C-alpha cells in the first residue's frame, strides 16, 4: 500500500532551522511529485511548495520563497523540507503529500504523511 | 492568492441527515477544486477532485458539484464515520489555497 512516513516531532528556537523528512513506499517514487502543506493550531491548511522526485524541480509558494528548500533523494525514496529563520508563527503540523506526476504538480494531494509537529519557542 | 470561503463554519447534524457544505472562490477556478476530510489528530483524507470526481474507495454518499466560483459537497445520508472537518482547496493557480474548514458535529 502507498505510504508516506515522516520524521518525528521537533522543538526549535526562533531563528533556527528545521528539516523534516518524508519516506515514500508502495509506488514508483520518481513518477509522482511531493507537496508540503502545513497547519498551524486552529488555522486552515497552507500549501508551501512542490518538488518533482524525478528531477528535483521545485515550485515554492511565494510566502516561503527564500526561507524553504525542498530536496529529493531517489536512492532512499525520501523527500526533505527545510525551513529556515523559524518564528513562533511557524509552529504547526507539517505534512508531505503525493501530488502530480514526474513533471508537474496536479495541485491536489491523494496520499498524505502522518504529519510532523514543529514547535518554535524560546 | 485566490481566497476560498466555506459556509457554514460549523454544522450540527444527525445520523441519516443530508448535509451540504458550500465553498466559494474569490475568482473563477473553473472546476479545479478538491475536497478533503480531516479527523482530529489525523492527516486529511482526499475525497474529490475536479469538483465532482469521487476518488476510489470514497463512499457514494459523498458527491461534489459546481464550477466557476461556487461549489458544494453533499453527504446524502450522514454516517457516524462522517463527523469530521471538511476542507475545499483550489488548484486553479499558484499558490494552491484552502478554505477555513467546516466542522460537522453531532446534533
Amino acid at each position: 500500500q502507498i505510504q508516506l512516513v515522516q520524521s518525528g516531532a521537533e522543538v526549535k528556537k526562533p531563528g533556527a532551522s528545521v528539516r523534516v523528512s518524508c519516506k515514500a513506499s508502495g509506488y514508483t517514487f520518481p513518477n509522482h511529485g511531493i507537496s508540503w502543506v502545513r497547519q498551524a493550531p486552529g488555522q486552515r491548511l497552507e500549501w508551501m511548495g512542490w518538488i518533482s522526485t524525478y528531477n528535483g524541480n521545485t515550485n515554492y509558494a511565494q510566502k516561503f520563497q527564500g526561507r524553504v528548500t525542498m530536496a529529493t533523494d531517489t536512492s532512499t525514496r525520501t523527500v526533505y523540507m527545510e525551513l529556515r529563520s523559524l518564528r513562533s508563527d511557524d509552529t504547526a503540523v507539517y505534512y508531505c503529500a503525493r501530488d502530480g506526476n514526474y513533471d508537474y504538480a496536479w495541485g491536489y494531494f491523494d496520499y498524505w504523511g502522518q504529519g510532523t509537529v514543529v514547535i518554535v519557542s524560546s | 492568492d485566490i481566497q476560498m470561503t466555506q459556509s457554514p463554519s460549523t454544522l450540527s447534524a444527525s445520523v441519516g441527515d443530508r448535509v451540504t457544505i458550500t465553498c466559494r472562490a474569490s475568482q473563477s477556478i473553473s472546476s479545479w477544486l478538491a475536497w478533503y476530510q480531516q479527523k482530529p489528530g489525523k492527516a486529511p483524507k482526499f475525497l474529490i477532485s475536479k469538483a465532482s470526481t469521487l476518488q476510489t474507495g470514497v463512499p457514494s454518499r459523498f458527491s461534489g458539484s459546481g464550477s466557476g466560483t461556487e461549489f458544494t459537497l453533499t453527504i446524502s445520508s450522514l454516517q457516524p464515520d462522517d463527523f469530521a472537518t471538511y476542507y475545499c482547496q483550489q488548484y486553479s493557480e499558484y499558490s494552491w489555497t484552502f478554505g477555513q474548514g467546516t466542522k460537522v458535529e453531532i446534533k
Side-chain angles (χ1 to χ4, degrees):
Chain A
Q1 72 282 21
I2 294 170
Q3 280 193 306
L4 299 173
V5 179
Q6 298 182 221
S7 50
E10 302 266 10
V11 179
K12 296 291 183 180
K13 294 195 182 304
S17 299
V18 69
R19 190 176 82 152
V20 180
S21 67
C22 170
K23 185 174 177 64
S25 61
Y27 68 95
T28 304
F29 182 71
N31 284 7
H32 297 278
I34 294 286
S35 272
W36 289 87
V37 176
R38 76 178 188 179
Q39 187 171 35
Q43 301 299 309
R44 69 182 69 194
L45 297 153
E46 181 175 35
W47 178 76
M48 299 179 67
W50 174 86
I51 183 166
S52 164
T53 54
Y54 176 74
N55 56 21
N57 286 349
T58 55
N59 189 340
Y60 300 140
Q62 190 168 7
K63 174 177 179 176
F64 299 100
Q65 288 272 3
R67 212 161 63 93
V68 71
T69 300
M70 296 175 189
T72 185
D73 183 342
T74 313
S75 67
T76 60
R77 303 170 60 89
T78 302
V79 173
Y80 300 91
M81 186 281 297
E82 181 185 50
L83 188 63
R84 300 178 292 278
S85 302
L86 290 168
R87 310 183 287 255
S88 57
D89 62 358
D90 291 317
T91 293
V93 179
Y94 289 76
Y95 295 101
C96 62
R98 199 177 76 161
D99 173 10
N101 60 26
Y102 72 95
D103 192 34
Y104 59 89
W106 291 325
Y108 57 85
F109 320 114
D110 59 353
Y111 291 91
W112 294 64
Q114 83 277 17
T116 296
V117 174
V118 175
I119 296 172
V120 182
S121 174
S122 55
Chain B
D1 292 355
I2 296 175
Q3 305 303 312
M4 306 300 292
T5 304
Q6 292 180 229
S7 60
S9 294
T10 306
L11 187 160
S12 298
S14 302
V15 172
D17 284 353
R18 181 182 181 87
V19 164
T20 298
I21 298 167
T22 298
C23 176
R24 290 186 173 86
S26 60
Q27 65 190 70
S28 177
I29 58 170
S30 184
S31 295
W32 304 117
L33 185 96
W35 288 98
Y36 302 86
Q37 175 194 69
Q38 187 178 35
K39 296 182 178 179
K42 300 292 187 184
K45 175 187 174 184
F46 180 44
L47 298 177
I48 289 171
S49 64
K50 213 170 180 187
S52 60
T53 302
L54 209 63
Q55 296 313 294
T56 304
V58 175
S60 59
R61 63 181 179 272
F62 289 90
S63 63
S65 65
S67 66
T69 62
E70 188 154 333
F71 303 84
T72 58
L73 173 70
T74 299
I75 308 172
S76 60
S77 177
L78 199 64
Q79 298 301 300
D81 191 49
D82 301 338
F83 291 97
T85 299
Y86 293 85
Y87 293 93
C88 63
Q89 177 236 331
Q90 69 81 19
Y91 54 100
S92 173
E93 65 176 47
Y94 290 114
S95 299
W96 319 135
T97 48
F98 292 82
Q100 82 278 17
T102 294
K103 184 178 180 180
V104 177
E105 59 181 27
I106 301 171
K107 191 171 185 180

